[in-house]
Amino acid sequence: MRIGTQSIMTILLFGIILVVVAVSVIMTGQQVKKASEQEKVANDISQGASELGYLSNDYLIYRESQQLKRWQSRFASFSTQVAGLRADRPEEQALVRNIQANQQRLKEVFDSVASGLGTSPANQRGSLDPAFLQVSWSRMAVQSQGLVSDASRLSQLSRVQADRLRLNNMVVVFAMIGAFAAYFLINYLMIQRRTLKSIATLQAGTAVIGSGNLDFVIEERKNDEIGELARAFNRMTTDLKAVTASKADLEREIVERKRAEARLAYLASFPERNPNPIMEVGWDGVVRYVNPAALRLFPDLPEKGLTHPWLVDWPATVRPFREGQADTDVRDVDVGQHSYQQTFYYAAPDPFVRIYGLDITGRKRAEAEVKKAHEELQDHADRLEAANKELESFSYSVSHDLRSPLRAIAGFTRMILDEKGATFDPETRRKFGIIQENAEKMGQLIDNLLRLSRLGRAELHQSKLDMGGLVREVLQEIRMTDPGREFVTEIGDLPAAQGDPAMIRQVLANLLSNAVKFTRGKQGVRIEVGSFEKSGEQVYYVRDNGAGFDMKYYNKLFGVFQRLVSESQFEGTGVGLAIVQRIVQRHGGRVWAEGQIQGGATFYFTLSPKEQG
Amino acid sequence: MNKEKVEIVLIEDNPADVELTLNALKKNNLKNNVKVLTDGEEALDYLLKVCTPPGKEGCPHLILLDLKLPKVSGLEVLERIRSDNRTKMIPVVVLTSSAEERDRFESYKLGVNSYIVKPVEFDNFAKVVSQIGFYWVLLNRPPY
């Protein structure tokens, strides 16, 4: 129960008790008053009865009408008094009935006495019977005494009643006061007990909360004011916590905002301090952002707007962005003496485009120079190509135009010899023979030269080469051309290589036929073919123990038409080694040789095991 | 064999080669059946004349064609022989000094029947020409 309610109830109870006490006092008072009045009436009746007794005595003594009238008058008032008697309780009612009955009998007695005596004065009638008087007097006295006794008795009863009522009243009042006092005391103790306890809890709670623990919740046990207070306190704590928390949030937010601002400033420094021009321009040409570098480079940009060369052709430039066809684009513009590359980024969803500029003047110049150089180079290449074509055409002519006359020389010489040879002396026939030989020789020269020139142009058809197999094939062919030659071959371990089979075969054929050729006339000819690895390269070699060569003339060894030996010693066109060199070089390899006069020669070449471009 | 009937048309402008060729063909007794023409234009005119209608008597069974010719080149002559219905089936053998790959490829592309590089040595040359004559005129069965 709430303390307020309890208090109100206490006050209410107090009021009720007051009212009850008051009512009781008033009622008791009235009853006491009534009892007192009754007592007084009873006393009056008692007195009236006594008086009536005296009056009747007087009358009896004097028997005068005056006394009779006085008695009758007094009796009338006495009757009125008797009629005013009110009795509630049976005992009193019995007394009242007795009094009324006695009153009637007194009247009857007096009337009978009066009628007996008449109204003649005593001195006139003095002759009355004393017994009669005595009886009347006694009867009258009995009645009067009865009345006095009853009235006194009634009076006493009334007084006792009043006293009892007073006592009762006092008992009630004291009982009420006592009960109230007891209730008040108990109530007070209860309220104090529970209030103090709750307040103590509250106090302890507030002390905890006051120490900073906002998470503490005060026990809300009672549904009274203290409970409300505890609830209010808890609400306050919650609010305080929220406020405190929001304060912490706010502080954190401030810190974060400061950090974000710093970050923003840091990020903004990128375009701001970028030495290249950066800006954001709307599709309509409105410039929303320009970085300091752009302003420095194009101070007249704000004034000129879209007429500035930086924004040349603007509507056409932004059309792809406006029509949603592109998010980014690049173009070059010239501003004054400088060229810039502009990279555009659509600043979606705004109708703006970001321009990142880059000064490419130097690059453009370099490009122009490169282009010029390239053009010059191309020009050179074209001329070279033309020269090559010319050379090719020349080779073709050589092939055609030199062969025919040679054939004619040889052919007609032969025809002359066939038709007239029989008549010629040996010397003439020998000279014709020389003509024929030279014509044939020249034919071979031309063929070799053409082959060499074709080698420079022919495409390489590379594949994996079985070097050992190739060497054996070539040696077999050489033996078939000259079955009489005797020589020993020693073929080492030859790893596979990558190359054009026909061309490498030609290399081996030239080197091996050279070896065979330059060992002619020697005893114990040995031709060695081998391979080794050196500095990551696969080196193949052909070694003979033949005529060899003088290293002094090494630089002429691989030259076209260069011969280190005389024609009379060893035939040849001087093209074979040049062809070897050309083929190996085209395969990305190298050729070199070692030799000494009459000490044999070794020819080396390298081939990559991997394909060459 | 009819002594005067043209079996071979030799299109060659070099008189020395003509003589050497004829000399070589003499061995097959074909010398008198050779018609020599020294330029392409002339050769085409002749061929179209003797081969109308196609397969007519006098239309050669073999054309020996040099590539290096004045006016109309040998390859062009070949192209026109092959593009005309009257001459397109006549066997054509290119006999040339050119060993060039492009000439060879081009000739085969245009439908030559054989491509022979003239050997430099006369002996070989004579042998080769003689063999050509033997094969294409005496051994081979012509379309007509």
Side-chain angles (χ1 to χ4, degrees):
Chain A
M1 197 196 289
R2 296 168 55 84
I3 294 169
T5 317
Q6 211 168 350
S7 304
I8 286 166
M9 276 179 69
T10 306
I11 289 164
L12 217 65
L13 198 68
F14 183 65
I16 289 166
I17 287 168
L18 269 181
V19 168
V20 167
V21 168
V23 166
S24 160
V25 166
I26 289 165
M27 279 173 67
T28 312
Q30 276 178 346
Q31 281 176 336
V32 168
K33 194 184 167 194
K34 204 172 146 192
S36 300
E37 276 171 5
Q38 206 168 354
E39 190 191 343
K40 193 176 169 261
V41 170
N43 284 339
D44 286 349
I45 289 169
S46 175
Q47 199 184 334
S50 298
E51 280 178 20
L52 280 175
Y54 296 138
L55 285 173
S56 60
N57 282 348
D58 285 352
Y59 177 66
L60 282 178
I61 298 166
Y62 301 109
R63 280 167 316 233
E64 288 172 18
S65 63
Q66 195 185 353
Q67 275 79 23
L68 179 68
K69 279 183 184 152
R70 281 178 63 187
W71 191 91
Q72 283 173 325
S73 160
R74 187 67 182 94
F75 186 80
S77 72
F78 179 75
S79 294
T80 311
Q81 282 175 328
V82 170
L85 268 180
R86 292 286 182 275
D88 297 328
R89 287 173 305 164
E91 198 183 352
E92 287 172 356
Q93 283 169 348
L95 280 173
V96 168
R97 269 193 306 274
N98 267 348
I99 290 169
Q100 286 168 339
N102 281 335
Q103 180 211 351
Q104 285 297 322
R105 267 195 306 276
L106 185 65
K107 173 80 167 148
E108 284 164 18
V109 172
F110 187 80
D111 283 346
S112 66
V113 171
S115 61
L117 292 179
T119 55
S120 57
N123 50 0
Q124 295 172 344
R125 284 170 248 142
S127 58
L128 269 176
D129 181 6
F132 174 72
L133 282 176
Q134 189 71 33
V135 170
S136 297
W137 186 78
S138 292
R139 281 177 64 192
M140 293 283 283
V142 168
Q143 288 306 320
S144 295
Q145 283 305 307
L147 273 171
V148 170
S149 170
D150 283 345
S152 295
R153 173 91 181 120
L154 189 62
S155 169
Q156 194 187 353
L157 275 175
S158 293
R159 193 165 56 245
V160 167
Q161 173 73 2
D163 288 347
R164 199 171 47 84
L165 280 172
R166 276 193 200 95
L167 187 66
N168 280 353
N169 191 26
M170 263 175 70
V171 166
V172 164
V173 168
F174 280 117
M176 288 305 253
I177 287 168
F180 178 73
Y183 170 77
F184 189 80
L185 194 67
I186 290 164
N187 204 19
Y188 171 77
L189 285 173
M190 271 171 71
I191 287 174
Q192 194 191 32
R193 188 166 168 265
R194 97 184 212 206
T195 308
L196 283 180
K197 202 176 165 192
S198 298
I199 285 172
T201 311
L202 201 60
Q203 198 180 19
T206 52
V208 171
I209 291 163
S211 73
N213 184 2
L214 294 177
D215 291 321
F216 186 82
V217 177
I218 296 167
E219 203 182 347
E220 301 167 7
R221 275 190 310 194
K222 298 269 168 52
N223 196 25
D224 57 9
E225 283 83 348
I226 305 287
E228 265 176 21
L229 193 59
R231 263 196 298 281
F233 227 97
N234 284 340
R235 263 202 306 279
M236 189 192 74
T237 311
T238 311
D239 288 353
L240 199 63
K241 203 163 79 178
V243 168
T244 313
S246 60
K247 194 187 162 210
D249 281 349
L250 205 63
E251 277 166 3
R252 197 162 46 240
E253 204 172 297
I254 287 166
V255 168
E256 271 170 17
R257 183 162 295 179
K258 274 187 183 163
R259 200 176 292 147
E261 275 168 9
R263 175 84 182 148
L264 218 56
Y266 168 70
L267 288 176
S269 74
F270 280 91
E272 286 291 305
R273 295 198 207 148
N274 196 319
N276 296 316
I278 297 171
M279 62 181 71
E280 194 170 67
V281 184
W283 292 341
D284 52 1
V286 168
V287 176
R288 191 156 71 171
Y289 172 77
V290 182
N291 78 335
L295 272 181
R296 194 180 64 244
L297 290 166
F298 321 121
D300 51 345
L301 184 77
E303 175 197 331
K304 285 193 173 171
L306 285 182
T307 59
H308 195 279
W310 175 259
L311 297 174
V312 69
D313 230 0
W314 190 247
T317 306
V318 297
R319 190 173 302 128
F321 298 98
R322 195 166 45 207
E323 292 175 359
Q325 292 164 351
D327 286 333
T328 178
D329 201 0
V330 177
R331 72 165 185 180
D332 293 353
V333 291
D334 291 328
V335 181
Q337 297 294 310
H338 285 257
S339 296
Y340 294 92
Q341 185 186 61
Q342 295 178 324
T343 306
F344 300 101
Y345 280 98
Y346 176 24
D350 295 352
F352 280 83
V353 172
R354 288 188 187 150
I355 311 171
Y356 299 88
L358 189 65
D359 191 333
I360 53 166
T361 314
R363 199 174 80 194
K364 280 243 164 174
R365 197 176 296 136
E367 273 173 7
E369 276 165 18
V370 166
K371 197 182 170 197
K372 197 179 159 203
H374 182 75
E375 276 168 4
E376 279 172 12
L377 203 65
Q378 187 61 50
D379 195 38
H380 277 296
D382 288 349
R383 271 185 285 168
L384 202 63
E385 172 86 17
N388 257 336
K389 281 246 168 71
E390 214 170 300
L391 196 65
E392 223 174 286
S393 148
F394 170 73
S395 305
Y396 186 73
S397 298
V398 166
S399 138
H400 246 258
D401 298 353
L402 293 186
R403 274 162 177 255
S404 299
L406 276 175
R407 192 165 43 247
I409 292 165
F412 282 92
T413 310
R414 169 51 68 97
M415 273 155 58
I416 291 168
L417 283 173
D418 283 353
E419 288 163 17
K420 301 278 195 284
T423 63
F424 287 174
D425 58 296
E427 179 59 17
T428 312
R429 266 208 297 280
R430 189 186 66 83
K431 283 173 182 161
F432 268 104
I434 292 170
I435 294 172
Q436 276 187 309
E437 274 173 28
N438 277 285
E440 277 174 28
K441 181 85 194 266
M442 193 170 172
Q444 283 171 4
L445 273 173
I446 291 165
D447 281 353
N448 282 338
L449 197 59
L450 283 175
R451 193 179 300 151
L452 186 64
S453 83
R454 272 202 297 272
L455 274 178
R457 303 194 307 271
E459 253 182 72
L460 292 181
H461 301 287
Q462 301 208 17
S463 61
K464 198 176 172 186
L465 302 175
D466 170 16
M467 294 298 278
L470 275 178
V471 168
R472 276 178 204 92
E473 272 177 41
V474 170
L475 282 171
Q476 199 176 4
E477 277 173 23
I478 290 170
R479 284 186 193 278
M480 277 170 69
T481 359
D482 196 353
R485 276 300 304 280
E486 278 186 13
F487 55 89
V488 176
T489 54
E490 194 178 305
I491 303 169
D493 185 28
L494 299 175
Q498 195 74 25
D500 185 309
M503 289 193 187
I504 300 302
R505 187 192 171 92
Q506 182 74 56
V507 168
L508 292 170
N510 288 8
L511 291 178
L512 287 167
S513 59
N514 271 358
V516 171
K517 183 163 77 184
F518 290 106
T519 51
R520 196 176 337 159
K522 287 233 167 193
Q523 294 298 310
V525 172
R526 229 175 115 261
I527 295 171
E528 188 189 339
V529 186
S531 177
F532 58 88
E533 206 184 305
K534 188 187 167 192
S535 318
E537 285 180 310
Q538 197 62 40
V539 181
Y540 300 87
Y541 63 89
V542 176
R543 180 174 294 148
D544 65 63
N545 53 355
F549 61 89
D550 190 346
M551 286 298 275
K552 198 157 61 172
Y553 303 109
Y554 180 79
N555 59 338
K556 291 189 173 182
L557 198 61
F558 296 99
V560 182
F561 298 139
Q562 299 286 345
R563 288 176 57 84
L564 299 186
V565 287
S566 69
E567 183 76 44
S568 57
Q569 275 182 293
F570 299 104
E571 76 290 346
T573 57
V575 181
L577 285 179
I579 286 174
V580 167
Q581 189 178 43
R582 179 73 61 91
I583 290 173
V584 172
Q585 281 174 349
R586 284 214 60 196
H587 280 78
R590 295 179 297 122
V591 181
W592 69 99
E594 285 166 1
Q596 60 185 90
I597 299 168
Q598 296 305 320
T602 310
F603 287 84
Y604 303 90
F605 65 95
T606 63
L607 277 180
S608 169
K610 286 174 189 148
E611 193 166 332
Q612 294 296 309
Chain B
M1 186 154 297
N2 189 336
K3 279 239 167 198
E4 301 302 320
K5 187 190 166 195
V6 173
E7 297 281 350
I8 300 169
V9 167
L10 174 63
I11 308 170
E12 169 69 81
D13 73 321
N14 184 336
D17 276 1
V18 169
E19 201 173 333
L20 291 174
T21 306
L22 290 175
N23 187 271
L25 288 172
K26 196 163 67 181
K27 294 189 173 89
N28 303 75
N29 292 320
L30 287 170
K31 194 188 167 192
N32 295 332
N33 305 94
V34 178
K35 173 72 181 174
V36 178
L37 295 157
T38 53
D39 80 68
E41 194 70 59
E42 193 189 348
L44 284 166
D45 288 348
Y46 173 83
L47 283 171
L48 291 178
K49 200 181 86 193
V50 298
C51 293
T52 309
K56 175 188 154 184
E57 185 147 302
C59 189
H61 290 161
L62 176 67
I63 297 168
L64 284 174
L65 178 66
D66 186 20
L67 292 184
K68 200 162 183 300
L69 295 172
K71 296 179 190 169
V72 184
S73 80
L75 288 172
E76 206 178 331
V77 171
L78 175 62
E79 190 180 1
R80 279 160 70 173
I81 288 170
R82 285 290 179 250
S83 61
D84 195 299
N85 275 332
R86 292 166 287 186
T87 54
K88 71 193 236 179
M89 289 200 286
I90 304 170
V92 177
V93 173
V94 164
L95 191 61
T96 176
S97 308
S98 167
E100 293 295 312
E101 194 176 73
R102 59 175 182 184
D103 283 339
R104 203 164 73 234
F105 279 19
E106 202 55 38
S107 300
Y108 277 107
K109 259 190 252 174
L110 290 171
V112 80
N113 296 75
S114 187
Y115 189 100
I116 308 291
V117 179
K118 294 174 184 169
V120 178
E121 302 89 343
F122 175 71
D123 282 350
N124 280 343
F125 178 81
K127 210 187 286 174
V128 163
V129 172
S130 172
Q131 281 172 354
I132 292 168
F134 175 77
Y135 177 81
W136 285 105
V137 180
L138 302 177
L139 207 59
N140 188 48
R141 288 288 300 272
Y144 302 109

